[in-house]
């Protein structure tokens, strides 16, 4: 009954035994997984980090890159050309930086995140300035759910326009999910409408003040 296949071809910052900067799949393994998913008509999302892992996933035919922590300029261009969506979870980085500064980041994450934090921020700026489709995602659960809306601010701080950030959470996300019934205000669509005081195109932080939801 699943709609997607999700896999992992690089390590995580919070897992004790692996490294996000290392690609953990062989090309033929990733290609076999994506080919099998395609045969079943299912898209593939991949948790990924290292630049070479991002590019391996794109070549294999994934639909989305989750995190893409260390993606490089070539990888962003490849994603744009292939129509691969990038879900960069930028607020998660801000949460990790705060934890690192506060001394509360888990021990297994400290050395990896200390090494990579500047590159992660640089990669996020590359994603924001590139032509690949960017989708709003949070990784909430790794940090409080009520901080998830801050992803809008993180996206804009990295260089996305407010309009592109709003689309990342609505119409672009719906395209990634292949859901024509979501993400747009139109007759027959199946989506909630939210309203907020202020104009998020002028100040993206208005997204954190939603005071009306129409289902």
């Amino acid at each position: 009954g699943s709609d997607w296949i999700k896999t992992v071809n690089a390590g995580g910052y919070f897992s004790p035994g692996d490294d996000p900067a290392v690609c953990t799949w062989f090309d033929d393994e990733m290609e076999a997984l994506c080919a099998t998913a395609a045969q079943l008509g299912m898209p593939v999302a991949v948790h990924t980090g290292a630049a070479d892992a991002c590019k391996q996933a794109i070549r294999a035919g994934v639909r989305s890159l989750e995190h893409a922590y260390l993606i490089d300029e070539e990888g962003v261009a490849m994603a744009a050309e292939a129509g691969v969506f990038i879900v960069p979870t930028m607020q998660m980085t801000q949460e990790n930086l705060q934890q690192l500064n506060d001394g509360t980041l888990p021990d297994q994450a400290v050395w990896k995140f200390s090494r990579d934090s500047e590159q992660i921020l640089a990669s996020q700026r590359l994603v924001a300035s590139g032509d690949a489709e960017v989708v709003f995602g949070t990784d909430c659960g790794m940090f409080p759910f009520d901080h998830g809306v801050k992803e809008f601010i993180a996206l804009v701080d990295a260089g996305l326009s407010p309009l592109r950030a709003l689309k990342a959470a609505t119409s672009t996300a719906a395209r990634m999910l292949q859901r024509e019934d979501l993400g747009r205000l139109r007759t027959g669509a199946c989506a909630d409408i939210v309203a907020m005081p202020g104009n998020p195109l002028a100040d993206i932080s208005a997204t954190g003040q939603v005071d009306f939801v129409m289902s």
Side-chain angles (χ1 to χ4, degrees):
S2 298
D3 298 314
W4 283 68
I5 297 295
K6 184 178 181 183
T7 188
V8 178
N9 77 337
Y13 284 96
F14 282 75
S15 50
D18 55 31
D19 187 347
V22 175
C23 183
T24 55
W25 285 84
F26 292 111
D27 288 350
D28 59 350
E29 292 176 309
M30 180 60 75
E31 289 162 5
L33 187 149
C34 289
T36 304
Q39 192 171 36
L40 296 171
M42 298 178 72
V44 175
V46 59
H47 162 113
T48 192
D52 59 339
C54 293
K55 288 179 276 195
Q56 178 196 70
I58 295 166
R59 289 192 301 269
V62 302
R63 186 162 181 83
S64 73
L65 304 177
E66 311 300 308
H67 316 302
Y69 295 117
L70 303 171
I71 196 168
D72 59 15
E73 189 171 4
E74 181 186 23
V76 174
M78 286 173 62
E81 183 176 355
V84 173
F85 296 82
I86 301 177
V87 189
T89 60
M90 295 184 184
Q91 178 59 26
M92 181 67 183
T93 302
Q94 298 305 314
E95 301 282 337
N96 289 346
L97 283 170
Q98 186 63 54
Q99 288 181 295
L100 183 64
N101 291 335
D102 293 344
T104 58
L105 196 67
D107 290 344
Q108 73 269 23
V110 170
W111 70 270
K112 292 182 278 189
F113 194 72
S114 298
R115 178 197 65 193
D116 292 347
S117 60
E118 288 302 314
Q119 181 57 56
I120 295 169
L121 294 171
S123 292
Q124 290 175 356
R125 291 190 292 270
L126 286 174
V127 169
S129 63
D131 295 326
E133 297 272 34
V134 176
V135 172
F136 185 108
T138 66
D139 221 18
C140 279
M142 299 297 292
F143 60 94
F145 280 88
D146 61 358
H147 290 194
V149 71
K150 295 181 179 181
E151 182 71 12
F152 282 115
I153 297 172
L155 289 167
V156 171
D157 284 348
L160 268 75
S161 69
L163 178 59
R164 193 176 173 204
L166 290 170
K167 286 183 175 182
T170 53
S171 56
T172 308
R175 280 205 315 280
M176 184 188 79
L177 296 171
Q178 299 173 298
R179 289 287 302 271
E180 290 296 319
D181 58 329
L182 297 178
R184 291 180 292 166
L185 293 177
R186 64 174 179 82
T187 302
C190 177
D192 294 336
I193 300 170
V194 301
M196 60 205 70
N199 179 3
L201 294 176
D203 179 3
I204 197 65
S205 67
T207 52
Q209 301 162 18
V210 169
D211 60 1
F212 173 83
V213 178
M214 184 171 74
S215 180

